Amino acid sequence: MADKIKMTTPLVEMDGDEMTRVIWKMIKDILILPYVDLKTEYYDLGLEHRNETNDKVTVDSAEATKKYGVAVKCATITPNAARMTEYNLKEMWKSPNGTIRAILDGTVFRKPIIVKGITPFIPTWTKPITIARHAYGDIYKNTEMAVSQGSKAELVVTDKDGNETRKLIHDFKNSDGIVQGVHNLDSSIASFARACFNYALDAKEDLWFASKDTISKTYDHRFKDIFAEIFENEYKAKFEAAGIEYFYTLIDDAVARVIRSNGGYIWACKNYDGDVMSDMVATAFGSLGMMSSVLVSPDGVYEYEAAHGTVQRHYYKHLKGEKTSTNSVATIFAWSGALRKRGELDQNSALSEFADKLEKATIQTIEDGVMTGDLFAMSTLENKQSVDTETFLYEINKRLRNM
Ligand code: NAP
Ligand code: MG
């Protein structure tokens, strides 16, 4: 056998929970370690270890990602009341993804993995649609109140010298009602814009952005203006050189164009639009197990993961010794994405080529009719067969070995 591929810089490896933790080890053992002399800086983000370290391990892993530039993350449990008892937790630790995103100031890009035999509900979507969601502010950091009839609601801003500016929101003369205050930050919108422009250059795909600037002439319009200004000053020439476009339109028009499109672009969304549209796009493309995700910081740090969770139901089956058929594709693509990026940054073409082959072998396996249960239920291939979690990985390796 040929020598293993060497790495110069480590990947930051963030291990996780439940079924995805089981799959994590299998992917490394079956598909990566036989080919790559893998160098990682390992952080165990499994819930037990987060609890032992008072969640310091999550912060450390994010700091390491800043230092090295590329991380690969396994799905992790976000604790709720049930997990408090199940894991005997000291505290209801925050979502690791939220903590990491806050430290890296990143934007999440979700992209479906497309294979023959799994037809999107919108059959004209032959290329992936990547959704970028601005994950700061708007209604997710709102203040809201119920208002009784006879009240008057005003917007009051006090500047640093104590001067007040007031605007009437509504005079509730005739009815009870509701009122809501939201905000965003120029700095956050600018980070979001840069992350989107960088990702588009990286992916060599057009970037679309949309908001409701015709109605919201100050708030949404600010998003439009910041994107336009950063594009003009920092990215226009690079986009021209890459042969890609930045395109702004009204959100209504964007929705109509997306449905009529063939895919193959990045759709940047405000927080609420991204929340809703990412669910719509993911559902239309088929399976959660086929959705990859990458967090990109404005200064070009990348963290790759699967979009799905820890697949808890399958894990409990696994613990009882039963066979599972859990889809590992999105987690494999998290590894391949991180290895390819590491290869690019280190000018290690052997590593990037290995990542390409790993993805090709994975897609080939499914297109040959060998797949996990979730895809089996949807595939239109005639000679399809459903295999268990481990067999699927061995089947990929059969094809990878011959590349
Ligand atoms: P989930 O793990 O995504 O699973 C929901 C259901 O979707 C599964 O029960 C399974 O359906 C199906 N599914 C998801 N991924 C699959 C795969 N790879 N292969 C086959 N089927 C798959 O979501 P959840 O059950 O709501 O959350 C479980 C845990 O994950 C929670 O503790 C949550 O906090 C955590 N979570 C973590 C992340 C992250 O780290 N990024 C994201 C979301 C959730 P069937 O059972 O019908 O087969
Ligand atoms: Mg949502």
Side-chain angles (χ1 to χ4, degrees):
M1 189 169 173
D3 281 349
K4 288 189 193 180
I5 297 161
K6 296 271 182 290
M7 292 177 66
T8 46
T9 319
L11 272 182
V12 176
E13 176 182 352
M14 305 168 174
D15 208 343
D17 289 300
E18 299 195 310
M19 199 60 210
T20 40
R21 188 181 180 98
V22 176
I23 290 177
W24 193 257
K25 185 168 184 324
M26 287 182 184
I27 292 173
K28 281 170 64 179
D29 288 344
I30 299 170
L31 294 175
I32 298 175
L33 293 173
Y35 304 98
V36 181
D37 201 354
L38 189 67
K39 249 190 181 180
T40 72
E41 196 164 291
Y42 179 86
Y43 293 87
D44 183 1
L45 266 53
L47 185 52
E48 280 160 1
H49 194 238
R50 273 183 277 149
N51 192 50
E52 278 162 26
T53 62
N54 297 325
D55 209 23
K56 187 175 174 296
V57 64
T58 306
V59 174
D60 290 346
S61 73
E63 293 299 340
T65 305
K66 268 187 169 170
K67 177 175 164 194
Y68 293 114
V70 188
V72 57
K73 180 180 171 291
C74 180
T76 46
I77 292 169
T78 299
N80 55 14
R83 303 295 198 170
M84 291 291 289
T85 357
E86 184 184 355
Y87 285 84
N88 193 17
L89 300 180
K90 295 187 244 180
E91 242 181 71
M92 204 184 283
W93 306 111
K94 283 191 268 181
S95 148
N97 289 53
T99 302
I100 296 165
R101 198 165 60 218
I103 293 173
L104 299 181
D105 186 20
T107 299
V108 174
F109 295 81
R110 282 179 151 207
K111 182 178 193 172
I113 299 153
I114 294 190
V115 291
K116 282 195 203 87
I118 311 286
T119 317
F121 286 99
I122 314 250
T124 45
W125 286 0
T126 51
K127 287 178 274 181
I129 296 171
T130 303
I131 297 241
R133 171 181 172 187
H134 182 215
Y136 180 83
D138 302 351
I139 60 163
Y140 303 86
K141 266 192 185 295
N142 67 359
T143 304
E144 44 183 41
M145 278 188 246
V147 177
S148 56
Q149 187 176 348
S151 312
K152 190 167 80 173
E154 290 175 301
L155 196 58
V156 183
V157 174
T158 313
D159 73 14
K160 61 180 187 304
D161 302 321
N163 305 311
E164 283 185 358
T165 310
R166 287 174 177 266
K167 276 195 176 183
L168 179 69
I169 297 171
H170 192 72
D171 203 343
F172 290 82
K173 273 186 217 145
N174 303 321
S175 172
D176 293 348
I178 41 185
V179 64
Q180 179 185 58
V182 298
H183 81 282
N184 223 299
L185 302 173
D186 288 0
S187 57
S188 174
I189 300 166
S191 289
F192 174 53
R194 289 196 177 90
C196 291
F197 290 131
N198 286 338
Y199 185 94
L201 282 170
D202 211 47
K204 295 195 178 51
E205 286 180 346
D206 290 348
L207 176 68
W208 298 13
F209 179 50
S211 75
K212 195 76 180 177
D213 63 290
T214 49
I215 299 293
S216 171
K217 291 187 167 62
T218 302
Y219 196 103
D220 275 25
H221 213 286
R222 179 66 66 88
F223 280 80
K224 178 183 177 178
D225 289 345
I226 289 175
F227 265 73
E229 192 186 319
I230 292 177
F231 180 69
E232 276 301 317
N233 294 338
E234 300 172 31
Y235 290 95
K236 198 173 180 195
K238 291 181 196 161
F239 268 52
E240 273 167 17
I244 57 173
E245 262 183 38
Y246 167 59
F247 165 68
Y248 177 86
T249 186
L250 192 64
I251 185 72
D252 316 48
D253 179 49
V255 169
R257 284 173 187 259
V258 164
I259 295 296
R260 288 196 306 260
S261 77
N262 300 125
Y265 51 87
I266 298 140
W267 184 11
C269 291
K270 286 185 63 205
N271 210 348
Y272 176 80
D273 298 338
D275 184 351
V276 177
M277 291 305 164
S278 64
D279 287 320
M280 186 193 73
V281 168
T283 307
F285 272 108
S287 164
L288 253 185
M290 300 294 279
M291 186 63 75
S292 67
S293 175
V294 55
L295 177 74
V296 182
S297 83
D299 42 345
V301 165
Y302 292 74
E303 183 236 17
Y304 294 83
E305 66 175 326
H308 59 76
T310 60
V311 213
Q312 183 180 16
R313 210 179 57 82
H314 295 212
Y315 181 58
Y316 290 159
K317 259 177 89 176
H318 170 81
L319 287 182
K320 281 193 270 174
E322 292 171 32
K323 285 270 182 215
T324 60
S325 185
T326 314
N327 190 337
S328 49
V329 173
T331 307
I332 294 170
F333 273 62
W335 274 101
S336 58
L339 291 169
R340 181 186 299 105
K341 179 53 75 180
R342 194 65 271 165
E344 279 169 25
L345 295 177
D346 295 348
Q347 274 134 29
N348 183 346
S349 58
L351 192 60
S352 299
E353 280 160 24
F354 171 75
D356 292 343
K357 285 179 192 162
L358 177 55
E359 291 181 0
K360 252 172 110 176
T362 304
I363 288 172
Q364 188 63 57
T365 305
I366 301 168
E367 294 186 345
D368 286 346
V370 182
M371 60 195 82
T372 47
D374 57 322
L375 297 185
F376 183 81
M378 293 187 300
S379 173
T380 54
L381 295 181
E382 274 175 17
N383 60 337
K384 60 181 176 177
Q385 52 166 315
S386 176
V387 296
D388 63 65
T389 308
E390 209 167 0
T391 304
F392 180 65
L393 296 173
Y394 283 119
E395 285 288 331
I396 295 172
N397 191 39
K398 273 188 198 165
R399 289 158 180 86
L400 181 60
R401 217 186 290 140
N402 295 327
M403 289 181 175

